Amino acid sequence: MASKPVWEQIGAGFVQHYYQQFDSDRTKLADLYTDASCLTWEGVGFQGHKAIMEKITSLPFQSIQHSITAQDHQPTPDSCVMSMVMGQLKADTDQVMGFQQTFLLKNVDNKWICTNDMFRLALHNFGA
Amino acid sequence: MASKPVWEQIGAGFVQHYYQQFDSDRTKLADLYTDASCLTWEGVGFQGHKAIMEKITSLPFQSIQHSITAQDHQPTPDSCVMSMVMGQLKADTDQVMGFQQTFLLKNVDNKWICTNDMFRLALHNFGA
């Protein structure tokens, strides 16, 4: 049986862990970011562990559930792993919404951390 | 007047150039990739300049038009620029479809090239 490439295992493992933590207790995401990490959330930028966790923990919903539609992973020339996720989420009693998120993962001190994170709700206008 | 951060100028410039070339003559995208580049197109991976350009030029439509809904850019710890794009496209006479695409850009020999590229059509199923 052919095993998956290592970058795919790393990316898929991160993605599973990230959304599991996000949906159950998002304060635990703190371990994934460092002071060099960047988050862009709906077009607004946050730099560093403290600012990122303040943003994530202050998001205005009580419960959230992500489901992943598709995920892609690639190795980068600098030995990082880039992961792109497409999915749907349901926050509190709001309607289901699509989202997209991209992560760049880097091995620092023998641990994979998230150096770059971009999130957008998928709001398309297919009108004429 | 505050100018935009340099990584945002690089990312936005690349994105504008990429879709302009893609929509007018996609053989010209060849300059943007190297043998170390990776493309994942709808979940299928292509490695290196030749394989990537074969995929892009063999896509089965005559005309295509992209319009960008949102784009985000970040600097990475390895001096790259990560860009995430959300948009809509119209190929030939097909209906308009949403897409998402992520690029990782690296400065090689004083030129910004695309080391990593991931593309997905935004096909969500919002059924019960």
Side-chain angles (χ1 to χ4, degrees):
Chain A
M1 193 178 89
S3 62
K4 288 184 181 174
V6 65
W7 66 82
E8 194 170 331
Q9 295 177 31
I10 293 160
F14 177 89
V15 163
Q16 183 183 18
H17 178 71
Y18 175 89
Y19 292 107
Q20 217 165 49
Q21 299 287 56
F22 202 114
D23 292 359
S24 61
D25 177 2
R26 56 191 191 271
T27 63
K28 290 186 183 161
L29 295 172
D31 292 346
L32 305 178
Y33 299 99
T34 72
D35 283 340
S37 299
C38 290
L39 167 69
T40 305
W41 189 273
E42 286 288 283
V44 183
F46 302 87
Q47 167 84 47
H49 180 272
K50 186 164 176 280
I52 290 172
M53 287 311 299
E54 277 175 7
K55 175 61 183 174
I56 290 177
T57 55
S58 70
L59 289 166
F61 44 76
Q62 294 301 309
S63 75
I64 187 160
Q65 211 178 339
H66 293 81
S67 73
I68 297 170
T69 307
Q71 56 181 305
D72 297 313
H73 310 283
Q74 286 179 359
T76 80
D78 296 303
S79 305
C80 294
V81 174
M82 190 167 92
S83 298
M84 184 171 85
V85 177
M86 165 185 296
Q88 298 177 25
L89 61 81
K90 185 168 174 58
D92 292 337
T93 56
D94 293 351
Q95 64 177 0
V96 173
M97 284 185 289
F99 74 93
Q100 70 183 69
Q101 194 157 9
T102 300
F103 304 102
L104 192 65
L105 311 178
K106 190 180 172 76
N107 196 308
V108 177
D109 297 336
N110 218 19
K111 205 187 129 203
W112 288 91
I113 56 99
C114 178
T115 63
N116 295 82
D117 181 350
M118 293 172 171
F119 172 89
R120 284 264 182 189
L121 290 171
L123 301 172
H124 289 291
N125 172 13
F126 290 111
Chain B
M1 193 179 85
S3 62
K4 288 183 182 176
V6 67
W7 67 83
E8 194 170 330
Q9 295 178 31
I10 293 160
F14 177 90
V15 163
Q16 184 183 17
H17 179 71
Y18 175 90
Y19 292 107
Q20 218 163 48
Q21 299 288 58
F22 202 113
D23 291 0
S24 62
D25 177 3
R26 55 190 192 272
T27 64
K28 290 186 182 160
L29 294 172
D31 292 346
L32 304 178
Y33 299 98
T34 73
D35 283 339
S37 298
C38 290
L39 168 68
T40 304
W41 189 274
E42 286 288 282
V44 183
F46 302 88
Q47 166 85 46
H49 180 272
K50 187 165 173 282
I52 290 172
M53 287 311 299
E54 277 175 6
K55 175 61 183 175
I56 290 177
T57 55
S58 70
L59 290 166
F61 44 77
Q62 295 301 311
S63 75
I64 187 159
Q65 212 180 337
H66 293 81
S67 73
I68 296 170
T69 308
Q71 55 181 305
D72 297 312
H73 310 283
Q74 287 180 0
T76 80
D78 296 302
S79 304
C80 295
V81 174
M82 190 167 91
S83 297
M84 184 173 84
V85 177
M86 165 184 297
Q88 299 177 25
L89 61 82
K90 184 168 175 58
D92 294 334
T93 57
D94 294 350
Q95 64 176 356
V96 173
M97 285 184 288
F99 74 92
Q100 70 182 67
Q101 194 158 9
T102 300
F103 303 102
L104 191 65
L105 310 176
K106 189 179 172 76
N107 196 309
V108 176
D109 297 336
N110 219 19
K111 205 187 127 203
W112 287 90
I113 55 99
C114 179
T115 63
N116 295 81
D117 181 350
M118 294 172 171
F119 172 89
R120 285 263 182 191
L121 290 170
L123 301 172
H124 289 292
N125 171 13
F126 290 113

